[in-house]
Amino acid sequence: MTYRVFLVDDHGVFRSGVRAELAGAEGLDVIGDAGTVPESIAGIVEMRPDVVLLDVHMPGGGGVAVLRGVLDALGSDAPVFLALSVSDAATDVIATIRAGARGYVTKTIDGAELADAVRRVAEGDAVFSPRLAGFVLDSFTGRSPVPEPQLDPELDSLTRREMEVLRLLARGYTYREIAEELFISVKTVETHASNVLRKTQQSNRNALTRWAVNRQIG
């Protein structure tokens, strides 16, 4: 049997590398890939893969946002998700599994191991890199020292660049100083700042700064 695989990662070079690694794997066919949350949700819903290899940290809500979007759209017809991330932090593992992923492996995995992990989750197994399964077991049995991550839809809605602008605003930088720091125009900074205010539902810069400090952003 051949399992159809969709790749989600915001780094195009990495997606190309995974495609190359899985190209010769028996029983796997990479049918598509995407680098943003909206493109990923749309591609998965349209192509209906058997397994989604899911990056955890992406602008716009990350892998959890992709998971939720696909589950909302497809319900019980949703594919199986296997997280493939550089992070092995307990908070990331627990949040991703609670959102609905079937497994979690780190990007240190080699090609043969990754292909095997994809086949295993497609066949119903739960697959984890060494030691990560312990995080999940501890979480679900109430023994985890890591608190369950709190959802923050406003923060998750910000793009990577908007987060950079927000951090600098919270530190008291002027628009011109932010422009120099990020090598962008003042007009672009103003646009990003306006988007941040709108997405976080703050009325002005002072309110935004307080909002950011409360979330330890800066």
Side-chain angles (χ1 to χ4, degrees):
M1 179 174 182
T2 298
Y3 297 112
R4 303 164 74 243
V5 182
F6 192 98
L7 308 178
V8 174
D9 196 286
D10 64 339
H11 291 94
V13 172
F14 181 78
R15 294 200 308 273
S16 297
V18 173
R19 273 186 173 273
E21 289 283 1
L22 298 182
E26 183 179 354
L28 300 181
D29 179 19
V30 180
I31 61 170
D33 63 77
T36 69
V37 170
E39 289 173 353
S40 300
I41 295 171
I44 294 165
V45 170
E46 178 184 356
M47 303 186 78
R48 304 293 181 96
D50 299 300
V51 178
V52 175
L53 275 175
L54 182 68
D55 189 18
V56 171
H57 291 292
M58 299 169 59
V64 169
V66 176
L67 261 163
R68 291 191 177 125
V70 173
L71 290 173
D72 285 346
L74 298 180
S76 60
D77 292 328
V80 176
F81 287 82
L82 173 62
L84 176 61
S85 175
V86 69
S87 171
D88 63 356
T91 50
D92 289 332
V93 178
I94 293 168
T96 307
I97 297 303
R98 285 188 181 276
R102 186 67 182 171
Y104 194 116
V105 295
T106 60
K107 290 181 177 179
T108 57
I109 194 170
D110 66 33
E113 291 172 334
L114 179 59
D116 182 61
V118 171
R119 285 188 289 263
R120 286 174 59 194
V121 294
E123 293 164 3
D125 287 347
V127 179
F128 297 91
S129 289
R131 91 186 181 87
L132 301 190
F135 295 155
V136 179
L137 290 172
D138 286 346
S139 174
F140 281 90
T141 57
R143 293 197 297 268
S144 175
V146 180
E148 184 175 347
Q150 297 298 307
L151 301 179
D152 196 328
E154 291 87 2
L155 190 60
D156 289 343
S157 71
L158 301 181
T159 66
R160 183 175 297 174
R161 181 63 89 186
E162 288 166 356
M163 278 296 301
E164 291 172 342
V165 170
L166 172 59
R167 288 193 177 96
L168 295 175
L169 286 171
R171 294 173 190 169
Y173 281 50
T174 66
Y175 284 173
R176 183 169 298 280
E177 288 171 335
I178 293 172
E180 293 172 354
E181 180 77 15
L182 299 180
F183 301 101
I184 57 179
S185 70
V186 174
K187 183 66 174 177
T188 300
V189 173
E190 292 173 350
T191 299
H192 287 313
S194 177
N195 290 339
V196 170
L197 286 168
R198 174 177 54 81
K199 290 181 178 181
T200 59
Q201 302 179 52
Q202 302 304 305
S203 58
N204 55 54
R205 179 168 177 170
N206 288 336
L208 180 65
T209 299
R210 290 193 297 272
W211 185 92
V213 168
N214 288 337
R215 286 160 176 77
Q216 299 182 330
I217 297 169

